[in-house]
Amino acid sequence: MGDEHIVAIEDISLTFELGKIYCLLGTSGSGKSTLLNLLAGLEKPTAGSILFKGKPLEALNETQLALYRQRYVGFVFQSYNLLATLSALENVTLPLIFRKVPKRKRIKAARAMLKAVGLGNRHKHKPSELSGGQQQRVSIARAFVNDPQIIFADEPTGNLDTRTTIEMMDLITGIARERNQTLVIVTHDMEISQYADQVISIRDGLVESVIDNEEMRSDTNEED
């Protein structure tokens, strides 16, 4: 920014395994969303490397990065990011259109996904005709419809009340575990972090701590 040199992320070394749930935990400005954007290929690092299946993301051009996100990545956003003029069904089919899935097949897949998130009877409704929780369910269905290996969820419950937050987290983590997908959640909420197998706390662009919830749960079960 001008003459000022800002380091958003520095000296971070992490490994994400298939089928596990991770939480990037930190306050606003800590660098957690920047890290998510780097992992998703939305931004390129100025130094270091981000490997996906052994291949460096920073070496890919924009077309290759688009294909990476298309084939392997799903997104759940705080603000839902649904297209207002499209129905729930049409919003969910979008990732499949980009992958050139035939119309009949993508409609079938989108209907099945909407049913899985509890909106089987709301597929014709537009976002303005749905509650916040229902809109987030559509967003979740869209993220999972192309069966990606990785789901990135950026403050997915930030606009929801407590009861709906619990419902959404149970839904997102339940689907990811059932399908053996990697889920990376960005949040500032300690309660949300309890859903993760591993909690990565970030402060001022640095990893402050890594807590293994999975190991702690295992130790607790052994004591019981």
Side-chain angles (χ1 to χ4, degrees):
M1 297 176 65
D3 294 329
E4 188 176 3
H5 183 63
I6 297 173
V7 179
I9 292 293
E10 185 176 15
D11 195 28
I12 284 182
S13 180
L14 297 168
T15 300
F16 297 88
E17 296 179 23
L18 182 65
K20 287 197 173 185
I21 297 175
Y22 298 88
C23 175
L24 303 180
L25 180 69
T27 57
S28 178
S30 62
K32 60 187 187 300
S33 290
T34 299
L35 179 55
L36 182 141
N37 289 340
L38 288 165
L39 296 173
L42 296 171
E43 294 183 28
K44 286 193 176 186
T46 52
S49 189
I50 301 167
L51 302 178
F52 176 73
K53 294 188 173 183
K55 296 181 180 179
L57 291 186
E58 68 277 4
L60 304 180
N61 60 35
E62 290 305 316
T63 300
Q64 292 169 324
L65 284 170
L67 287 172
Y68 157 70
R69 290 189 292 269
Q70 211 177 89
R71 293 172 181 170
Y72 301 110
V73 175
F75 294 95
V76 181
F77 302 98
Q78 177 179 346
S79 56
Y80 320 135
N81 286 11
L82 302 177
L83 295 184
T85 57
L86 300 184
S87 68
L89 182 69
E90 290 167 333
N91 267 287
V92 175
T93 61
L94 283 175
L96 301 176
I97 291 174
F98 294 130
R99 291 188 67 175
K100 298 181 180 179
V101 175
K103 184 176 181 179
R104 183 176 294 182
K105 190 174 180 180
R106 67 176 182 252
I107 289 176
K108 182 180 179 181
R111 281 182 180 273
M113 204 63 240
L114 282 169
K115 185 177 180 181
V117 300
L119 291 178
N121 62 342
R122 307 282 282 182
H123 64 274
K124 293 182 180 179
H125 291 70
K126 292 182 178 179
S128 61
E129 300 169 318
L130 300 170
S131 68
Q134 289 171 332
Q135 289 183 59
Q136 191 58 301
R137 286 177 184 270
V138 176
S139 173
I140 292 167
R142 181 184 58 193
F144 281 95
V145 73
N146 64 345
D147 199 25
Q149 289 188 14
I150 313 166
I151 304 292
F152 293 113
D154 193 356
E155 298 282 6
T157 61
N159 291 335
L160 304 175
D161 59 48
T162 302
R163 183 178 64 82
T164 310
T165 290
I166 294 170
E167 289 177 1
M168 293 305 106
M169 289 307 302
D170 287 344
L171 184 61
I172 296 171
T173 55
I175 296 173
R177 289 196 189 283
E178 182 183 323
R179 297 182 172 203
N180 196 39
Q181 293 161 311
T182 303
L183 174 61
V184 181
I185 306 164
V186 163
T187 187
H188 63 275
D189 190 337
M190 283 292 294
E191 292 187 12
I192 298 298
S193 71
Q194 299 307 306
Y195 284 87
D197 297 319
Q198 194 173 88
V199 181
I200 302 158
S201 294
I202 300 175
R203 183 191 293 269
D204 298 329
L206 299 166
V207 171
E208 190 174 47
S209 66
V210 177
I211 298 172
D212 198 325
N213 282 347
E214 199 174 28
E215 192 174 298
M216 289 173 65
R217 292 186 196 115
S218 178
D219 291 343
T220 302
N221 290 336
E222 286 178 10
E223 288 175 7
D224 293 343

